[in-house]
Amino acid sequence: MQYRCQNNNNLPKLNPILNKYKNISGSLISILQETQNIYGYLPEFALDYIAENTGIKPAKIYGVATFYTQFRLKPVGKYLILLCQGTACHVNGSKTIEKALLEELSINEGETTNDNLFTLNSVACLGCCSLSPVMMINDKTYGKLTPEKTKQIIREIKKNEFDHKEV
C-alpha cells in the first residue's frame, strides 16, 4: 500500500511516535493524540502514513479519529473556543452566548474565521457548572458570561493580535 501523502517532508515527525508504540497493542489513541499534538489536527496524509506503518486498517483509524471529540480532522484557529452547552450553561443562557459569538466572529459553529484566528466548537460540558454560562479559549476559562462580556473578550483578543502584528 502506498500512502497518498503529497507532503513527505512532514512525515519524519511521525516516526518517533510510531517507533515508541511499535510493539504496544491498543495504542492507536495514543498515536493519534501525539500526532495531533504535532500538527494541531489529524491531517489525512498522517492518518494514511499511520495506517501504512502500523498495519491498522485505514477505516479503523478514521473510525477512531471521528468517534472521539478530542480529535480534529481539520485545522483549527489560533484560538479554539469551546462553548459549553451542558445543562447548567444551557439554563443560564449559553444559546445567547453562542449567538453573540456567531455575530462577533461571522462564522457558524464548527467553523474557523477567515484569518484563522478563531474556531468555535460547542461541547457537551466543560465541568465548570458554577461558572455557567462558560467557555474556554485555548486553556483559559471564562465564566458568568453575558453576550456583551463575550464580545468584549473576543475584541480584546483581536486587539492584542493586531497590536502584536504592528510591533
Side-chain angles (χ1 to χ4, degrees):
M1 171 185 187
Q2 269 302 323
Y3 56 90
R4 298 179 299 230
C5 176
Q6 304 298 322
N7 203 343
N8 296 1
N9 296 336
N10 286 325
L11 293 174
K13 295 177 181 180
L14 295 177
N15 290 332
I17 296 168
L18 296 172
N19 288 334
K20 178 178 175 181
Y21 295 103
K22 189 175 191 170
N23 297 314
I24 303 173
S25 66
S27 59
L28 178 57
I29 289 175
S30 297
I31 292 169
L32 294 176
Q33 288 170 328
E34 292 190 33
T35 300
Q36 184 165 281
N37 285 342
I38 290 173
Y39 299 104
Y41 73 110
L42 296 173
E44 186 175 352
F45 70 82
L47 297 179
D48 291 342
Y49 191 71
I50 291 167
E52 179 181 320
N53 286 278
T54 62
I56 300 171
K57 295 191 181 305
K60 180 175 182 177
I61 293 173
Y62 282 91
V64 170
T66 56
F67 179 79
Y68 292 101
T69 58
Q70 68 177 298
F71 296 124
R72 298 179 294 274
L73 297 177
K74 296 188 297 189
V76 295
K78 182 175 180 179
Y79 298 96
L80 176 60
I81 302 168
L82 301 177
L83 177 62
C84 185
Q85 297 291 0
T87 303
C89 288
H90 180 77
V91 167
N92 287 305
S94 64
K95 288 298 180 187
T96 62
I97 304 308
E98 180 177 28
K99 185 177 182 219
L101 286 166
L102 298 177
E103 288 172 4
E104 189 65 27
L105 298 171
S106 299
I107 59 173
N108 291 313
E109 196 278 331
E111 294 180 343
T112 300
T113 56
N114 289 335
D115 58 9
N116 291 316
L117 268 184
F118 297 96
T119 299
L120 174 62
N121 287 336
S122 290
V123 295
C125 185
L126 290 173
C128 305
C129 300
S130 64
L131 298 175
S132 68
V134 66
M135 69 178 173
M136 285 184 72
I137 301 178
N138 294 346
D139 294 328
K140 187 170 181 183
T141 304
Y142 299 88
K144 305 284 186 190
L145 295 171
T146 64
E148 191 50 47
K149 182 178 176 183
T150 302
K151 288 181 178 184
Q152 190 56 44
I153 291 166
I154 299 301
R155 290 174 188 152
E156 189 65 31
I157 292 171
K158 286 180 182 178
K159 181 184 180 307
N160 288 339
E161 282 294 318
F162 183 75
D163 289 347
H164 285 106
K165 285 183 180 177
E166 290 187 333
V167 174

PDB file of all heavy atoms in Angstrom, residues 92-116:
ATOM      1  N   ASN A  92     -28.650  28.756  31.889  1.00  0.00           N
ATOM      2  CA  ASN A  92     -28.185  30.098  32.207  1.00  0.00           C
ATOM      3  C   ASN A  92     -27.815  30.932  30.975  1.00  0.00           C
ATOM      4  O   ASN A  92     -27.183  31.977  31.122  1.00  0.00           O
ATOM      5  CB  ASN A  92     -27.014  30.035  33.186  1.00  0.00           C
ATOM      6  CG  ASN A  92     -27.480  29.655  34.570  1.00  0.00           C
ATOM      7  OD1 ASN A  92     -28.358  30.291  35.136  1.00  0.00           O
ATOM      8  ND2 ASN A  92     -26.906  28.589  35.120  1.00  0.00           N
ATOM      9  N   GLY A  93     -28.194  30.471  29.791  1.00  0.00           N
ATOM     10  CA  GLY A  93     -28.070  31.336  28.617  1.00  0.00           C
ATOM     11  C   GLY A  93     -26.976  31.041  27.622  1.00  0.00           C
ATOM     12  O   GLY A  93     -26.555  31.943  26.890  1.00  0.00           O
ATOM     13  N   SER A  94     -26.507  29.812  27.516  1.00  0.00           N
ATOM     14  CA  SER A  94     -25.429  29.518  26.570  1.00  0.00           C
ATOM     15  C   SER A  94     -25.834  29.804  25.119  1.00  0.00           C
ATOM     16  O   SER A  94     -24.982  30.148  24.298  1.00  0.00           O
ATOM     17  CB  SER A  94     -24.956  28.069  26.697  1.00  0.00           C
ATOM     18  OG  SER A  94     -25.987  27.167  26.351  1.00  0.00           O
ATOM     19  N   LYS A  95     -27.107  29.704  24.813  1.00  0.00           N
ATOM     20  CA  LYS A  95     -27.549  29.989  23.435  1.00  0.00           C
ATOM     21  C   LYS A  95     -27.383  31.476  23.100  1.00  0.00           C
ATOM     22  O   LYS A  95     -27.062  31.826  21.964  1.00  0.00           O
ATOM     23  CB  LYS A  95     -28.995  29.537  23.209  1.00  0.00           C
ATOM     24  CG  LYS A  95     -29.145  28.028  23.140  1.00  0.00           C
ATOM     25  CD  LYS A  95     -28.353  27.460  21.975  1.00  0.00           C
ATOM     26  CE  LYS A  95     -28.496  25.956  21.905  1.00  0.00           C
ATOM     27  NZ  LYS A  95     -27.605  25.361  20.900  1.00  0.00           N
ATOM     28  N   THR A  96     -27.580  32.354  24.077  1.00  0.00           N
ATOM     29  CA  THR A  96     -27.358  33.786  23.818  1.00  0.00           C
ATOM     30  C   THR A  96     -25.862  34.073  23.685  1.00  0.00           C
ATOM     31  O   THR A  96     -25.467  34.966  22.925  1.00  0.00           O
ATOM     32  CB  THR A  96     -27.965  34.683  24.926  1.00  0.00           C
ATOM     33  OG1 THR A  96     -27.330  34.399  26.169  1.00  0.00           O
ATOM     34  CG2 THR A  96     -29.460  34.482  25.037  1.00  0.00           C
ATOM     35  N   ILE A  97     -25.036  33.311  24.378  1.00  0.00           N
ATOM     36  CA  ILE A  97     -23.585  33.454  24.256  1.00  0.00           C
ATOM     37  C   ILE A  97     -23.156  32.962  22.877  1.00  0.00           C
ATOM     38  O   ILE A  97     -22.342  33.600  22.201  1.00  0.00           O
ATOM     39  CB  ILE A  97     -22.850  32.676  25.370  1.00  0.00           C
ATOM     40  CG1 ILE A  97     -23.316  33.119  26.760  1.00  0.00           C
ATOM     41  CG2 ILE A  97     -21.338  32.793  25.216  1.00  0.00           C
ATOM     42  CD1 ILE A  97     -23.275  34.616  27.015  1.00  0.00           C
ATOM     43  N   GLU A  98     -23.736  31.846  22.449  1.00  0.00           N
ATOM     44  CA  GLU A  98     -23.422  31.327  21.114  1.00  0.00           C
ATOM     45  C   GLU A  98     -23.799  32.349  20.046  1.00  0.00           C
ATOM     46  O   GLU A  98     -23.018  32.615  19.124  1.00  0.00           O
ATOM     47  CB  GLU A  98     -24.155  30.010  20.869  1.00  0.00           C
ATOM     48  CG  GLU A  98     -23.868  29.413  19.502  1.00  0.00           C
ATOM     49  CD  GLU A  98     -24.554  28.074  19.301  1.00  0.00           C
ATOM     50  OE1 GLU A  98     -25.615  27.834  19.915  1.00  0.00           O
ATOM     51  OE2 GLU A  98     -24.022  27.280  18.511  1.00  0.00           O
ATOM     52  N   LYS A  99     -24.972  32.941  20.177  1.00  0.00           N
ATOM     53  CA  LYS A  99     -25.417  33.955  19.209  1.00  0.00           C
ATOM     54  C   LYS A  99     -24.440  35.130  19.170  1.00  0.00           C
ATOM     55  O   LYS A  99     -24.085  35.627  18.096  1.00  0.00           O
ATOM     56  CB  LYS A  99     -26.825  34.431  19.561  1.00  0.00           C
ATOM     57  CG  LYS A  99     -27.414  35.385  18.569  1.00  0.00           C
ATOM     58  CD  LYS A  99     -28.843  35.762  18.926  1.00  0.00           C
ATOM     59  CE  LYS A  99     -29.392  36.697  17.855  1.00  0.00           C
ATOM     60  NZ  LYS A  99     -30.196  37.746  18.344  1.00  0.00           N
ATOM     61  N   ALA A 100     -23.976  35.578  20.332  1.00  0.00           N
ATOM     62  CA  ALA A 100     -23.011  36.680  20.398  1.00  0.00           C
ATOM     63  C   ALA A 100     -21.701  36.306  19.708  1.00  0.00           C
ATOM     64  O   ALA A 100     -21.124  37.119  18.971  1.00  0.00           O
ATOM     65  CB  ALA A 100     -22.756  37.066  21.858  1.00  0.00           C
ATOM     66  N   LEU A 101     -21.240  35.082  19.918  1.00  0.00           N
ATOM     67  CA  LEU A 101     -20.010  34.622  19.273  1.00  0.00           C
ATOM     68  C   LEU A 101     -20.177  34.547  17.758  1.00  0.00           C
ATOM     69  O   LEU A 101     -19.295  34.970  17.005  1.00  0.00           O
ATOM     70  CB  LEU A 101     -19.588  33.263  19.829  1.00  0.00           C
ATOM     71  CG  LEU A 101     -18.999  33.270  21.236  1.00  0.00           C
ATOM     72  CD1 LEU A 101     -18.936  31.869  21.808  1.00  0.00           C
ATOM     73  CD2 LEU A 101     -17.620  33.927  21.239  1.00  0.00           C
ATOM     74  N   LEU A 102     -21.311  34.011  17.319  1.00  0.00           N
ATOM     75  CA  LEU A 102     -21.565  33.911  15.883  1.00  0.00           C
ATOM     76  C   LEU A 102     -21.586  35.281  15.228  1.00  0.00           C
ATOM     77  O   LEU A 102     -21.029  35.475  14.142  1.00  0.00           O
ATOM     78  CB  LEU A 102     -22.879  33.164  15.617  1.00  0.00           C
ATOM     79  CG  LEU A 102     -22.953  31.712  16.106  1.00  0.00           C
ATOM     80  CD1 LEU A 102     -24.338  31.138  15.847  1.00  0.00           C
ATOM     81  CD2 LEU A 102     -21.884  30.854  15.469  1.00  0.00           C
ATOM     82  N   GLU A 103     -22.199  36.241  15.908  1.00  0.00           N
ATOM     83  CA  GLU A 103     -22.243  37.612  15.391  1.00  0.00           C
ATOM     84  C   GLU A 103     -20.858  38.246  15.373  1.00  0.00           C
ATOM     85  O   GLU A 103     -20.456  38.860  14.381  1.00  0.00           O
ATOM     86  CB  GLU A 103     -23.180  38.471  16.243  1.00  0.00           C
ATOM     87  CG  GLU A 103     -24.642  38.156  16.071  1.00  0.00           C
ATOM     88  CD  GLU A 103     -25.519  38.899  17.077  1.00  0.00           C
ATOM     89  OE1 GLU A 103     -25.000  39.726  17.864  1.00  0.00           O
ATOM     90  OE2 GLU A 103     -26.746  38.646  17.070  1.00  0.00           O
ATOM     91  N   GLU A 104     -20.129  38.101  16.450  1.00  0.00           N
ATOM     92  CA  GLU A 104     -18.819  38.753  16.570  1.00  0.00           C
ATOM     93  C   GLU A 104     -17.790  38.158  15.614  1.00  0.00           C
ATOM     94  O   GLU A 104     -16.943  38.864  15.083  1.00  0.00           O
ATOM     95  CB  GLU A 104     -18.325  38.656  18.013  1.00  0.00           C
ATOM     96  CG  GLU A 104     -17.109  39.470  18.314  1.00  0.00           C
ATOM     97  CD  GLU A 104     -17.319  40.969  18.205  1.00  0.00           C
ATOM     98  OE1 GLU A 104     -18.459  41.463  18.389  1.00  0.00           O
ATOM     99  OE2 GLU A 104     -16.332  41.672  17.932  1.00  0.00           O
ATOM    100  N   LEU A 105     -17.861  36.850  15.403  1.00  0.00           N
ATOM    101  CA  LEU A 105     -16.860  36.157  14.586  1.00  0.00           C
ATOM    102  C   LEU A 105     -17.291  35.980  13.131  1.00  0.00           C
ATOM    103  O   LEU A 105     -16.460  35.647  12.285  1.00  0.00           O
ATOM    104  CB  LEU A 105     -16.551  34.791  15.202  1.00  0.00           C
ATOM    105  CG  LEU A 105     -15.961  34.820  16.610  1.00  0.00           C
ATOM    106  CD1 LEU A 105     -15.898  33.411  17.184  1.00  0.00           C
ATOM    107  CD2 LEU A 105     -14.582  35.472  16.604  1.00  0.00           C
ATOM    108  N   SER A 106     -18.564  36.149  12.843  1.00  0.00           N
ATOM    109  CA  SER A 106     -19.108  35.954  11.484  1.00  0.00           C
ATOM    110  C   SER A 106     -18.823  34.549  10.954  1.00  0.00           C
ATOM    111  O   SER A 106     -18.427  34.361   9.803  1.00  0.00           O
ATOM    112  CB  SER A 106     -18.561  37.003  10.517  1.00  0.00           C
ATOM    113  OG  SER A 106     -18.928  38.293  10.934  1.00  0.00           O
ATOM    114  N   ILE A 107     -18.982  33.564  11.823  1.00  0.00           N
ATOM    115  CA  ILE A 107     -18.842  32.162  11.435  1.00  0.00           C
ATOM    116  C   ILE A 107     -19.980  31.376  12.075  1.00  0.00           C
ATOM    117  O   ILE A 107     -20.681  31.888  12.941  1.00  0.00           O
ATOM    118  CB  ILE A 107     -17.487  31.549  11.873  1.00  0.00           C
ATOM    119  CG1 ILE A 107     -17.302  31.630  13.395  1.00  0.00           C
ATOM    120  CG2 ILE A 107     -16.333  32.184  11.121  1.00  0.00           C
ATOM    121  CD1 ILE A 107     -16.075  30.890  13.916  1.00  0.00           C
ATOM    122  N   ASN A 108     -20.123  30.129  11.657  1.00  0.00           N
ATOM    123  CA  ASN A 108     -21.055  29.208  12.284  1.00  0.00           C
ATOM    124  C   ASN A 108     -20.293  28.291  13.227  1.00  0.00           C
ATOM    125  O   ASN A 108     -19.064  28.184  13.140  1.00  0.00           O
ATOM    126  CB  ASN A 108     -21.791  28.379  11.223  1.00  0.00           C
ATOM    127  CG  ASN A 108     -22.744  29.218  10.422  1.00  0.00           C
ATOM    128  OD1 ASN A 108     -23.512  30.004  10.971  1.00  0.00           O
ATOM    129  ND2 ASN A 108     -22.689  29.078   9.109  1.00  0.00           N
ATOM    130  N   GLU A 109     -21.025  27.606  14.080  1.00  0.00           N
ATOM    131  CA  GLU A 109     -20.423  26.642  14.998  1.00  0.00           C
ATOM    132  C   GLU A 109     -19.655  25.614  14.166  1.00  0.00           C
ATOM    133  O   GLU A 109     -20.105  25.165  13.128  1.00  0.00           O
ATOM    134  CB  GLU A 109     -21.523  25.964  15.832  1.00  0.00           C
ATOM    135  CG  GLU A 109     -21.025  25.239  17.060  1.00  0.00           C
ATOM    136  CD  GLU A 109     -20.486  23.859  16.789  1.00  0.00           C
ATOM    137  OE1 GLU A 109     -20.936  23.216  15.835  1.00  0.00           O
ATOM    138  OE2 GLU A 109     -19.589  23.421  17.523  1.00  0.00           O
ATOM    139  N   GLY A 110     -18.459  25.277  14.624  1.00  0.00           N
ATOM    140  CA  GLY A 110     -17.625  24.299  13.934  1.00  0.00           C
ATOM    141  C   GLY A 110     -16.732  24.905  12.864  1.00  0.00           C
ATOM    142  O   GLY A 110     -15.925  24.193  12.266  1.00  0.00           O
ATOM    143  N   GLU A 111     -16.827  26.199  12.641  1.00  0.00           N
ATOM    144  CA  GLU A 111     -16.044  26.846  11.589  1.00  0.00           C
ATOM    145  C   GLU A 111     -14.887  27.650  12.171  1.00  0.00           C
ATOM    146  O   GLU A 111     -14.833  27.926  13.367  1.00  0.00           O
ATOM    147  CB  GLU A 111     -16.926  27.773  10.747  1.00  0.00           C
ATOM    148  CG  GLU A 111     -17.970  27.046   9.941  1.00  0.00           C
ATOM    149  CD  GLU A 111     -18.832  27.969   9.101  1.00  0.00           C
ATOM    150  OE1 GLU A 111     -18.859  29.200   9.345  1.00  0.00           O
ATOM    151  OE2 GLU A 111     -19.495  27.453   8.187  1.00  0.00           O
ATOM    152  N   THR A 112     -13.991  28.046  11.275  1.00  0.00           N
ATOM    153  CA  THR A 112     -12.834  28.867  11.611  1.00  0.00           C
ATOM    154  C   THR A 112     -12.939  30.178  10.847  1.00  0.00           C
ATOM    155  O   THR A 112     -13.341  30.193   9.688  1.00  0.00           O
ATOM    156  CB  THR A 112     -11.528  28.134  11.240  1.00  0.00           C
ATOM    157  OG1 THR A 112     -11.475  26.904  11.975  1.00  0.00           O
ATOM    158  CG2 THR A 112     -10.287  28.953  11.567  1.00  0.00           C
ATOM    159  N   THR A 113     -12.559  31.270  11.509  1.00  0.00           N
ATOM    160  CA  THR A 113     -12.605  32.576  10.855  1.00  0.00           C
ATOM    161  C   THR A 113     -11.627  32.620   9.677  1.00  0.00           C
ATOM    162  O   THR A 113     -10.646  31.862   9.639  1.00  0.00           O
ATOM    163  CB  THR A 113     -12.261  33.707  11.846  1.00  0.00           C
ATOM    164  OG1 THR A 113     -10.982  33.439  12.436  1.00  0.00           O
ATOM    165  CG2 THR A 113     -13.320  33.837  12.936  1.00  0.00           C
ATOM    166  N   ASN A 114     -11.904  33.507   8.729  1.00  0.00           N
ATOM    167  CA  ASN A 114     -11.067  33.617   7.525  1.00  0.00           C
ATOM    168  C   ASN A 114      -9.613  33.932   7.839  1.00  0.00           C
ATOM    169  O   ASN A 114      -8.717  33.542   7.093  1.00  0.00           O
ATOM    170  CB  ASN A 114     -11.635  34.676   6.575  1.00  0.00           C
ATOM    171  CG  ASN A 114     -12.926  34.220   5.932  1.00  0.00           C
ATOM    172  OD1 ASN A 114     -13.187  33.029   5.805  1.00  0.00           O
ATOM    173  ND2 ASN A 114     -13.753  35.166   5.534  1.00  0.00           N
ATOM    174  N   ASP A 115      -9.367  34.639   8.934  1.00  0.00           N
ATOM    175  CA  ASP A 115      -7.992  34.980   9.310  1.00  0.00           C
ATOM    176  C   ASP A 115      -7.323  33.869  10.123  1.00  0.00           C
ATOM    177  O   ASP A 115      -6.190  34.026  10.583  1.00  0.00           O
ATOM    178  CB  ASP A 115      -7.952  36.297  10.082  1.00  0.00           C
ATOM    179  CG  ASP A 115      -8.799  36.277  11.348  1.00  0.00           C
ATOM    180  OD1 ASP A 115      -9.298  35.199  11.752  1.00  0.00           O
ATOM    181  OD2 ASP A 115      -8.966  37.356  11.949  1.00  0.00           O
ATOM    182  N   ASN A 116      -8.009  32.748  10.294  1.00  0.00           N
ATOM    183  CA  ASN A 116      -7.507  31.592  11.044  1.00  0.00           C
ATOM    184  C   ASN A 116      -7.203  31.899  12.508  1.00  0.00           C
ATOM    185  O   ASN A 116      -6.424  31.199  13.144  1.00  0.00           O
ATOM    186  CB  ASN A 116      -6.268  30.976  10.374  1.00  0.00           C
ATOM    187  CG  ASN A 116      -6.619  30.318   9.075  1.00  0.00           C
ATOM    188  OD1 ASN A 116      -7.609  29.602   8.967  1.00  0.00           O
ATOM    189  ND2 ASN A 116      -5.824  30.585   8.052  1.00  0.00           N
TER     190      ASN A 116
END
